[in-house]
Amino acid sequence: MALKLNKEDNIGGQDNPVSRLREMAFKPPKRIANYAYVQSMDDYEAMYELSVNDPEKFWGQIAEEFYFERDQPEGEPFFHYNFDITQGPICFNMLKGAKTNVCYNVLDWNIQRRGIGKNIAIHWEGSETDDHWSITYDELLVEVCRFANALKSLGVKKGDRVVVYMPMIAEITITMLACARIGAVHSVVFGGYSAESLAGRLIDAKAVVVVTADGAFRGDKVIPLKEITDKAIQLCLEQGHNVEHSIVVEHLPRLKKYELMGKKSCIQGPLDKSYHDIIANQSDICVPEWVDAEDPLFILYTSGSTGKPKGVLHTTAGYMMYAALTFKMVFDYKPGDVFWCTADIGWITGHTMMVYGPLANGATVVLYEGTPLYPSYTRPWTVIEKYKISQIFTAPTVIRSLMKFRNSPMLRHDISSLKVLGTAGEPINPEAWLWYFQTLGGTKCPIVDTYWQTETGGPCITPLPGATPTKPGSATFPFFGIVPELLDEDGHVVEGEGEGYLVFKQAWPGMMRTVYGDHARFEETYFRRFPGYYYTGDGAKRDSDGYIWITGRVDDMLNVSGHLLSTAQVEAAILEHKCVSEAAAVPIEHPVKGEALYCFVVLNEGLEMNKSIIGEINDKVRDKIGPIATPEKIHLAQGLPKTRSGKIMRRILRKIAAGETDFGDISTLADESVLAALIKPAKQ
Ligand code: WTA
């Protein structure tokens, strides 16, 4: 492949074959570097050193930009933490004893100090191109106060959990901020999850209220969110948990396509309340609840390797500061820029980069309800052109799904407003990186490949657009406050060039504080394997220039289109099918999704393998988890390779799924004939 690059952009040489892409480095374009907050690697290094050697000074300066109703009492440590489980309980506090409110900071305080009341906070763009509207900071504050008052009138108070199961509409942001305003803890559940997944989260969070919408469009399809919520509430009841209120945003009647639909209200049950009715008579003013810097802000569930999702808990001041600073620095956000993040708000990316990070900076965001390819693959170009987007943040899977289309129709759109292009959620292959850089960015926009997790609250390893020379596929260097190390199997630090388990040595403001209701699980998952370090669960390499390259999960997790799933969770769903006796799920590579699920399934004795069982197994997974977990391939097997002690040898299954035949050492395999039967082309 011959690459057409500007000489200035490419310090690795021209006309590189694909295999050499990883060795190339792209300098930040001057038009970005000359105006950026951080303009060189020297600047970055100086700031980085301060952030890790004197975190109190570094974060103390950031804290000054925020409003605290009460400062920390004398004598309280700014930071207090223990990462060493052998020395006592794992903990991390920051600014404990100080009082603030995130909603007040991002709205009232920002409107006052930046004078941005009349600026647009959110441009909402519907799935159909003619559905769109915008809301200013002043209007957002009024909406948030009215809904916060409505929640209070229903009895919701500080510390109560409110589950949010909504499409990508402004009310999702309003609900999150309304909760924050009254000190309630929100837990947003991705709108693609099933009733069972939603019920599991409602029960685990002991939620009193669920806020949902009648439905949403995904392309041409309507997702019946209210129906799914009703089912989930019923499942909760059966398991002894009472949800007290189900608040429904009537979103569909606002859409142009609604005319074509059945037009019947879905607000009929005894728990149902119309969002619009309950805010109708509320006051526009709601005095914020001043909460402790370490009071919970939200819970966000993420897959756990044992199968049960973990309720990742984030607290107030540290998360607010980390979200604000990462957004500002990673995207080099300047007043007047328009930011578009395509991630669903149900993921951490949406929380930090669609809600808290941008609003803390007084930014304007585009909230797009639809899918990137609807009604055609040129949609991203039309959205960029329409709103003059400056920064776009998406996932490698979206980039790969766009790459297969020819470029010419896209060139008709003026996308010259773009400055910085971001990606997150999974490793980006160099070819996709380069397509993003050349086709979307026209080689003029730095790519920021940001590595982070639900647990970390914000990007941890990331380029800064004005400073870092980037290499396609590398997340480059640590963000301020992050001290990464690579460890070998025995926990020894890998110095210099090498590969190992990625861990973080020091606490940073945005890190999770616990697994909701299960601190022991928090300690076991992240701090037991390597005492003294936060364990990410990812592997990474460091090259001879010190660049970090994330190699992917090292536990039983996989990443489908940027969504983290645990193989145990999928296996548990498959095993619920009455005909299935054993199941093992392994990741396989997928050209668009990054990874996909390959499931080995053993049926009960005497049962015939047939296509309808495969369909039923797929349905089971969709019902239990959601469509994102649908297996790519179900391999009906007579038996699974096991060790003599009965442990499934997943290493071998991964190789079979990948079509490999060299299985390495199989001396611990109990029955070799199982292997032979598995590699015969499967009869399906
Ligand atoms: C993976 C998403 C490579 C990683 C923000 C991590 C990445 C998991 C990257 C967290 C990246 C995220 N390069 N891998 N830039 N970003 N990951 O919690 O395996 O949904 O542990 O947070 O995604 O997924 P989560």
Side-chain angles (χ1 to χ4, degrees):
M1 184 168 98
L3 304 172
K4 288 192 211 84
L5 299 167
N6 299 331
K7 225 180 182 132
E8 188 207 50
D9 295 326
N10 173 12
I11 57 175
Q14 290 193 339
D15 295 332
N16 292 267
V18 174
S19 60
R20 286 204 49 217
L21 286 179
R22 286 179 186 275
E23 288 155 34
M24 299 165 69
F26 295 84
K27 274 194 216 160
K30 285 210 173 73
R31 67 172 193 133
I32 304 289
N34 289 352
Y35 304 98
Y37 295 115
V38 186
Q39 302 188 347
S40 68
M41 283 307 273
D42 287 346
D43 289 355
Y44 158 75
E45 274 157 24
M47 287 173 77
Y48 177 75
E49 289 303 316
L50 179 69
S51 75
V52 298
N53 295 331
D54 193 351
E56 182 164 344
K57 181 160 180 208
F58 183 89
W59 295 107
Q61 284 166 0
I62 306 293
E64 274 171 23
E65 291 180 25
F66 292 91
Y67 178 83
F68 284 84
E69 174 71 6
R70 192 183 87 187
D71 287 338
Q72 243 191 328
E74 283 291 313
E76 283 281 348
F78 186 87
F79 261 24
H80 169 73
Y81 77 97
N82 173 38
F83 269 18
D84 188 347
I85 196 151
T86 63
Q87 300 299 308
I90 300 298
C91 63
F92 174 47
N93 290 327
M94 180 179 172
L95 280 167
K96 199 167 169 55
K99 298 266 186 238
T100 187
N101 182 289
V102 177
C103 176
Y104 181 84
N105 267 287
V106 304
L107 296 180
D108 315 53
W109 176 241
N110 252 342
I111 291 171
Q112 274 174 45
R113 74 174 173 138
R114 299 184 201 255
I116 55 165
K118 303 282 173 286
N119 290 10
I120 302 293
I122 303 170
H123 286 296
W124 180 80
E125 169 84 3
S127 193
E128 298 301 319
T129 41
D130 43 5
D131 284 320
H132 54 96
W133 54 81
S134 305
I135 178 167
T136 65
Y137 270 84
D138 281 341
E139 290 162 347
L140 185 60
L141 175 59
V142 167
E143 289 289 317
V144 166
C145 286
R146 293 171 79 189
F147 190 49
N149 286 328
L151 287 173
K152 280 211 277 195
S153 72
L154 293 175
V156 180
K157 50 186 191 320
K158 178 170 181 253
D160 286 347
R161 274 81 50 216
V162 173
V163 162
V164 185
Y165 184 65
M166 275 211 247
M168 295 280 277
I169 52 179
E171 284 81 0
I172 197 168
T173 310
I174 294 169
T175 304
M176 291 162 76
L177 294 177
C179 288
R181 195 159 188 96
I182 62 172
V185 181
H186 60 72
S187 184
V188 182
V189 176
F190 169 53
Y193 275 137
S194 67
E196 285 211 29
S197 291
L198 175 58
R201 286 154 174 80
L202 281 162
I203 294 169
D204 190 81
K206 299 182 207 67
V208 284
V209 174
V210 54
V211 187
T212 186
D214 44 5
F217 277 98
R218 244 5 232 167
D220 271 330
K221 232 174 80 193
V222 176
I223 315 283
L225 293 169
K226 173 61 170 45
E227 255 175 68
I228 300 172
T229 306
D230 287 348
K231 235 189 260 169
I233 292 176
Q234 185 57 35
L235 288 169
C236 289
L237 255 184
E238 287 163 15
Q239 293 174 55
H241 174 69
N242 285 345
V243 174
E244 290 168 25
H245 304 284
S246 168
I247 301 172
V248 188
V249 175
E250 288 154 286
H251 170 54
L252 298 174
R254 304 187 285 204
L255 305 177
K256 304 260 166 31
K257 251 196 186 167
Y258 184 63
E259 295 302 316
L260 309 173
M261 298 170 55
K263 282 198 196 177
K264 72 176 196 312
S265 173
C266 60
I267 302 181
Q268 288 160 346
L271 311 181
D272 297 353
K273 313 257 165 340
S274 152
Y275 172 92
H276 305 279
D277 289 353
I278 61 169
I279 61 167
N281 295 317
Q282 298 295 343
S283 158
D284 291 356
I285 296 169
C286 173
V287 178
E289 177 85 31
W290 299 112
V291 300
D292 194 281
E294 281 299 335
D295 273 337
L297 176 64
F298 66 86
I299 301 168
L300 189 56
Y301 284 87
T302 183
S303 298
S305 53
T306 57
K308 188 175 180 261
K310 302 181 289 255
V312 169
L313 184 105
H314 283 282
T315 57
T316 298
Y319 173 79
M320 170 172 75
M321 287 163 53
Y322 200 69
L325 191 70
T326 50
F327 174 79
K328 179 176 169 181
M329 292 297 179
V330 170
F331 292 99
D332 203 53
Y333 186 87
K334 300 278 169 45
D337 287 350
V338 180
F339 181 82
W340 182 24
C341 166
T342 68
D344 195 282
I345 294 186
W347 309 115
I348 191 68
T349 322
H351 278 55
T352 305
M353 297 302 176
M354 281 297 281
V355 180
Y356 291 111
L359 297 182
N361 284 279
T364 300
V365 296
V366 170
L367 180 63
Y368 172 51
E369 186 189 13
T371 59
L373 302 183
Y374 184 83
S376 93
Y377 68 91
T378 56
R379 187 69 186 271
W381 279 258
T382 55
V383 174
I384 296 166
E385 184 174 36
K386 179 170 174 182
Y387 296 103
K388 301 200 174 25
I389 292 191
S390 335
Q391 294 95 347
I392 184 167
F393 193 25
T394 192
T397 182
V398 174
I399 299 168
R400 288 191 293 262
S401 67
L402 291 169
M403 273 170 78
K404 57 177 183 268
F405 300 105
R406 282 158 43 86
N407 298 341
S408 48
M410 302 169 186
L411 299 177
R412 281 191 233 124
H413 296 277
D414 176 8
I415 55 167
S416 57
S417 55
L418 284 175
K419 298 202 299 196
V420 179
L421 309 177
T423 151
E426 51 180 312
I428 182 163
N429 47 316
E431 296 81 354
W433 192 104
L434 211 73
W435 182 90
Y436 201 26
F437 182 67
Q438 293 186 304
T439 308
L440 206 71
T443 75
K444 294 190 182 71
C445 305
I447 306 283
V448 285
D449 173 6
T450 66
Y451 164 82
W452 48 310
Q453 306 180 302
T454 307
E455 294 86 338
T456 66
C460 291
I461 310 226
T462 175
L464 297 181
T468 319
T470 49
K471 298 190 187 188
S474 167
T476 72
F477 300 108
F479 189 71
F480 305 128
I482 303 289
V483 185
E485 296 277 17
L486 302 183
L487 301 183
D488 68 14
E489 206 58 51
D490 303 320
H492 298 127
V493 173
V494 177
E495 306 278 3
E497 203 178 338
E499 186 166 0
Y501 296 99
L502 178 66
V503 296
F504 299 146
K505 201 172 156 183
Q506 270 179 217
W508 66 100
M511 71 173 284
M512 71 184 289
R513 302 300 198 259
T514 191
V515 170
Y516 181 69
D518 197 349
H519 196 68
R521 188 170 179 204
F522 172 62
E523 294 181 326
E524 284 304 312
T525 311
Y526 305 101
F527 295 93
R528 176 73 66 194
R529 176 82 171 82
F530 299 112
Y533 298 97
Y534 166 85
Y535 173 45
T536 61
D538 285 299
K541 285 184 193 162
R542 193 190 293 110
D543 71 15
S544 52
D545 298 324
Y547 280 71
I548 294 176
W549 302 74
I550 309 296
T551 51
R553 304 290 312 178
V554 291
D555 48 18
D556 289 333
M557 308 275 257
L558 75 161
N559 198 322
V560 180
S561 301
H563 302 157
L564 211 56
L565 291 171
S566 82
T567 52
Q569 186 187 17
V570 177
E571 287 162 9
I574 297 176
L575 285 168
E576 285 203 6
H577 191 288
K578 58 184 186 314
C579 301
V580 173
S581 72
E582 283 185 288
V586 295
I588 47 165
E589 277 185 30
H590 187 281
V592 174
K593 298 177 186 171
E595 285 186 315
L597 273 160
Y598 189 114
C599 301
F600 294 88
V601 174
V602 182
L603 299 182
N604 292 334
E605 213 38 63
L607 282 179
E608 274 292 308
M609 304 179 181
N610 64 51
K611 279 229 163 76
S612 73
I613 292 187
I614 295 185
E616 287 167 25
I617 292 173
N618 275 327
D619 288 347
K620 200 84 204 164
V621 177
R622 270 189 224 117
D623 288 351
K624 298 288 298 182
I625 306 171
I628 45 167
T630 310
E632 192 68 23
K633 164 103 179 153
I634 291 180
H635 184 147
L636 293 174
Q638 257 139 28
L640 300 178
K642 291 188 185 148
T643 60
R644 282 172 233 282
S645 61
K647 223 170 170 275
I648 296 175
M649 296 181 75
R650 287 165 195 283
R651 175 176 64 77
I652 293 183
L653 291 176
R654 276 175 194 248
K655 294 208 161 175
I656 295 174
E660 289 173 30
T661 45
D662 176 7
F663 301 116
D665 177 16
I666 52 167
S667 56
T668 52
L669 188 64
D671 177 1
E672 279 193 33
S673 69
V674 168
L675 201 55
L678 272 172
I679 45 186
K680 268 205 310 229
K683 265 197 282 149
Q684 314 245 306

